Amino acid sequence: MYIGELGKIYKEGENIVRQGEAGDCMYVIQAGKVEVVLERPDSNVRLAVLESGDIFGEMSLFSRTVRSATVRALTETRVLTVDKKGFLRRVHEDPSLSFRILQKMSERIRKLNDDVAALKGH
Amino acid sequence: MQLEDGSRVAVVGGGPAGSFTSYFLLDLAERVGTSISVDIYEPRDYTVPGPVGCNMCGGIISESLVQMLATEGINLPSTVIQRSIDSYVLHSDVGTVNIDTPLHEMRIGAVHRGAGPKGSKGAKWGSFDGHLLELAHGKGANILRGKVEELTWDNGRPRVQAKGLPAQTYDLLVGAVGINSTALKLFEGLGFQYKAPEATRTFIAEFYLGAEAIKKYFGSSMHVFLMDMPRVEFAAIIPKGEYVTLCLLGHEIDKELVDSFLNNPVVKSCFPPEMAILTPACQCGPKIAVKAVCQPFGDRVVLIGDCGVTRLYKDGIGASYRTAKAVAVTAIFDGISNKDFQRHYWTACQVINKDNQFGLVVFFIVSIIRKLRFVRRAVLRMTGKEQVMEGKKRAMSMVLWDTFTGSAPYRNIFWRASQFNFLSRLITEVTRALVVPGSKGLN
Ligand SMILES: Cc1cc2nc3c(=O)[nH]c(=O)nc-3n(C[C@H](O)[C@H](O)[C@H](O)COP(=O)(O)OP(=O)(O)OC[C@H]3O[C@@H](n4cnc5c(N)ncnc54)[C@H](O)[C@@H]3O)c2cc1C
């Protein structure tokens, strides 16, 4: 790791979060690329590819369910974790801290809508 | 009083507080669809090494700030972070203990606020303050390179006169001049009962070691010294790229105190043996606020960061971010009158002020630990034993970590340190230390 890099390095192919596990943090990608994969008994579905600046694991900040998908490093990836407790404490003081996460989540819903529409169109 | 399309904001001072305010004012204005303009007045050139291009500080970007900024979409690059920090070493006359963070993740950044110490050439890293100013510029803020010399009112609106620049009238004036500036007087003269916070002098010095020696002797750890020295509240050495920064906080630190600190065998043993005499490449004596500010706002004027409300001793840059955010949110969503700032901005400041009261207690306890050798021994033993435990159980390590790095509110630290389990373990160690021969005594 370069001496001034923040976060933690994951090797290519390494899981950063595992579907079904409990989670109490969000991740911000500092460098590299990850894939978000929904693991199903029969087959796995790649939901998204995320890169530097993107966030994942944000759902666990707001709901107490387990991780909804697996996130795996596609290249060597450096991510920074954001703790749930500290985050919620700050959002309580400054709700505008969640604006950017809401923006990212709404971008994701928009993409989901497109995907659903495409599926229904078939 | 509101900010509307075409409103103009003057931010005096382009340190962290000024840059964060400008950045978030423009970001929030864009979200709500209001078009405002922001001028930042900043005479410093952050590309010049030495004191002229530097807002003197230890340069620790706290764990909580690193996380909040990442959440805001501001990821600090390795061209600015000189060294990422994942642990600390606690030094004292009764021993040394290494403490890792439970996550084993680099979440604290060590930076140079300016372009580096006097005489450093072609440094690989850029200035932290320069980086933030550039971010604000990228959001659309104008940077005006001039020192503000006069502030007046022009029909109820603030008017700013900077050296070599034409005077301009604004809808809102934000003071972010820090605590070392003569401009504090200009704000006091504006007649809204502002009084700059009381401050005390500190000491900072940079020592050149080179990257290899730093790796060998200091690693990626912040080094904290828990020793009985009068008037010193906190002493730390923070490794950067090619230099290490010594930081002494306390009351009226003078040359004699600095010399006796540097000559202390515990401190000397941290440096390479060939550095028998420690000569700093650069040193300064900036002030730090010790008492809360009075009335840092009025109609169309507000002060933030060090000249407004800051955190006691630790995470001043984090406090700059928090107060900057509170001002931006108030100005965009509520208004810019005295009442608006009182109701919203001041509420956010009071959270910091109240937490500082807990901070006073926490630092008082640290001062007792420093003064009593057997308590020091007990704390070190308790911390040492914890290193084999799983992350969350390392109560003393985490209390010390959060106290020294500024990563959690003081109230939270105080609460954890007053839990039964914590206290009973500490009392056991103190009792042990008392019966071990040679560990009693005041120092
Ligand atoms: C010894 C010491 C160690 C510290 N260590 C840390 C640490 O490790 N981590 C941390 O988070 N905090 C630390 N702090 C606190 C931190 O330095 C401050 O909280 C932080 O710099 C405050 O930012 P600011 O923008 O309010 O003020 P400043 O950083 O002081 O910036 C003020 C700016 O205003 C400009 N200015 C002044 N007058 C005028 C004028 N008339 N016209 C135009 N511009 C003007 C200045 O040039 C400057 O750029 C430390 C402080 C001290 C004293």
Side-chain angles (χ1 to χ4, degrees):
Chain A
M1 202 158 161
Y2 191 67
I3 62 170
E5 291 180 335
L6 293 170
K8 192 169 175 176
I9 300 251
Y10 290 87
K11 287 197 275 306
E12 183 186 330
E14 206 176 334
N15 286 337
I16 305 170
V17 307
R18 271 232 170 82
Q19 184 174 325
E21 279 183 2
D24 57 1
C25 62
M26 172 182 89
Y27 299 82
V28 185
I29 306 177
Q30 305 291 301
K33 239 187 208 175
V34 304
E35 60 171 350
V36 185
V37 180
L38 188 69
E39 297 189 48
R40 295 192 304 191
D42 42 348
S43 66
N44 293 347
V45 185
R46 179 190 274 188
L47 298 176
V49 172
L50 305 173
E51 28 193 86
S52 183
D54 283 331
I55 56 173
F56 59 88
E58 75 286 354
M59 281 146 126
S60 77
L61 296 180
F62 301 103
S63 61
R64 291 188 59 185
T65 46
V66 292
R67 300 278 185 205
S68 61
T70 290
V71 179
R72 188 172 300 129
L74 281 178
T75 59
E76 183 178 90
T77 301
R78 184 160 53 86
V79 298
L80 185 89
T81 47
V82 174
D83 304 331
K84 178 174 180 162
K85 236 184 179 166
F87 169 81
L88 291 179
R89 190 194 298 135
R90 263 304 287 165
V91 168
H92 173 67
E93 283 169 20
D94 171 20
S96 75
L97 179 62
S98 51
F99 283 179
R100 201 166 161 277
I101 297 181
L102 291 175
Q103 184 185 334
K104 290 270 176 197
M105 284 171 118
S106 58
E107 279 163 15
R108 244 167 244 173
I109 294 174
R110 186 184 297 271
K111 184 181 165 292
L112 277 176
N113 285 348
D114 289 346
D115 291 350
V116 171
L119 283 174
K120 285 203 169 160
H122 278 294
Chain B
M1 279 177 221
Q2 298 273 334
L3 289 181
E4 297 158 351
D5 273 335
S7 286
R8 306 185 65 223
V9 182
V11 176
V12 183
S19 294
F20 282 137
T21 307
S22 310
Y23 180 92
F24 290 113
L25 270 173
L26 289 160
D27 181 70
L28 293 173
E30 190 188 327
R31 287 188 194 275
V32 298
T34 308
S35 162
I36 61 168
S37 72
V38 176
D39 289 347
I40 307 179
Y41 289 88
E42 176 54 67
R44 268 196 215 289
D45 180 349
Y46 295 122
T47 62
V48 180
V52 284
C54 176
N55 285 319
M56 311 143 285
C57 129
I60 284 283
I61 312 302
S62 74
E63 210 173 5
S64 56
L65 183 58
V66 163
Q67 293 176 71
M68 292 313 109
L69 289 182
T71 310
E72 301 272 17
I74 301 174
N75 293 298
L76 299 169
S78 54
T79 45
V80 171
I81 303 288
Q82 302 210 354
R83 196 168 290 266
S84 40
I85 306 274
D86 64 348
S87 54
Y88 72 89
V89 181
L90 195 59
H91 299 270
S92 91
D93 53 338
V94 291
T96 293
V97 42
N98 292 29
I99 296 149
D100 285 326
T101 37
L103 272 182
H104 295 289
E105 181 175 331
M106 302 283 191
R107 284 206 300 192
I108 292 185
V111 302
H112 274 147
R113 299 284 301 273
K118 213 158 42 186
S120 54
K121 282 190 246 66
K124 296 186 202 101
W125 297 275
S127 147
F128 175 73
D129 288 20
H131 179 72
L132 294 185
L133 196 60
E134 206 36 60
L135 281 178
H137 181 59
K139 272 273 172 204
N142 310 306
I143 319 285
L144 303 178
R145 298 267 168 219
K147 180 178 176 193
V148 171
E149 293 180 325
E150 196 178 294
L151 297 172
T152 46
W153 294 106
D154 171 10
N155 287 321
R157 281 166 206 269
R159 190 170 172 79
V160 178
Q161 170 74 67
K163 193 174 178 186
L165 295 168
Q168 299 195 57
T169 300
Y170 292 91
D171 297 287
L172 173 64
L173 169 65
V174 180
V177 295
I179 196 146
N180 296 294
S181 169
T182 49
L184 291 167
K185 286 263 171 292
L186 304 180
F187 283 92
E188 287 179 343
L190 277 175
F192 60 100
Q193 289 164 357
Y194 169 69
K195 185 115 195 17
E198 243 177 74
T200 181
R201 214 161 269 293
T202 64
F203 177 80
I204 298 175
E206 303 277 346
F207 299 93
Y208 180 82
L209 263 77
E212 276 308 308
I214 295 181
K215 190 171 161 201
K216 182 164 172 205
Y217 289 91
F218 291 90
S220 55
S221 308
M222 175 172 169
H223 293 248
V224 178
F225 297 85
L226 207 58
M227 293 182 310
D228 184 26
M229 291 202 123
R231 290 179 285 136
V232 178
E233 289 288 347
F234 175 76
I237 297 179
I238 300 145
K240 307 282 169 73
E242 282 162 348
Y243 291 80
V244 296
T245 308
L246 162 68
C247 239
L248 287 177
L249 307 190
H251 307 289
E252 299 309 328
I253 310 252
D254 53 20
K255 188 170 179 310
E256 199 187 329
L257 188 61
V258 172
D259 286 346
S260 83
F261 179 82
L262 287 176
N263 284 318
N264 187 299
V266 176
V267 178
K268 275 209 126 109
S269 70
C270 295
F271 286 87
E274 60 274 19
M275 284 181 81
I277 300 164
L278 294 170
T279 321
C282 203
Q283 66 182 60
C284 59
K287 290 186 198 161
I288 198 161
V290 284
K291 283 235 174 85
V293 70
C294 294
Q295 188 71 19
F297 52 86
D299 283 341
R300 297 187 186 278
V301 56
V302 61
L303 289 108
I304 52 161
D306 271 14
C307 59
V309 170
T310 190
R311 200 158 178 263
L312 183 74
Y313 297 136
K314 301 275 103 190
D315 195 23
I317 302 171
S320 295
Y321 157 76
R322 287 162 69 186
T323 53
K325 208 55 210 295
V327 156
V329 169
T330 305
I332 297 293
F333 294 109
D334 301 299
I336 51 174
S337 70
N338 185 18
K339 265 202 184 130
D340 295 315
F341 289 129
Q342 171 84 40
R343 205 173 307 142
H344 303 280
Y345 171 60
W346 193 234
T347 310
C349 293
Q350 290 294 52
V351 174
I352 302 177
N353 276 336
K354 281 195 193 127
D355 195 55
N356 284 343
Q357 300 297 316
F358 285 93
L360 282 174
V361 181
V362 168
F363 276 97
F364 175 70
I365 298 171
V366 172
S367 75
I368 296 179
I369 301 174
R370 271 202 331 262
K371 284 204 178 75
L372 302 175
R373 189 183 164 96
F374 67 93
V375 182
R376 258 189 331 267
R377 195 182 283 276
V379 168
L380 241 73
R381 271 189 66 95
M382 184 164 161
T383 317
K385 277 186 183 169
E386 282 178 1
Q387 300 318 300
V388 291
M389 295 181 184
E390 159 203 337
K392 283 197 175 126
K393 292 198 177 137
R394 298 186 205 159
M396 178 59 93
S397 314
M398 289 316 293
V399 159
L400 293 173
W401 171 265
D402 288 335
T403 305
F404 295 136
T405 61
S407 295
Y410 289 125
R411 178 208 276 275
N412 183 286
I413 298 171
F414 179 77
W415 185 80
R416 277 183 281 149
S418 43
Q419 295 302 300
F420 176 77
N421 265 347
F422 183 92
L423 287 177
S424 61
R425 276 178 50 213
L426 180 61
I427 289 167
T428 312
E429 290 300 342
V430 168
T431 319
R432 253 191 80 106
L434 271 173
V435 297
V436 173
S439 63
K440 276 181 256 179
L442 282 178
N443 45 46

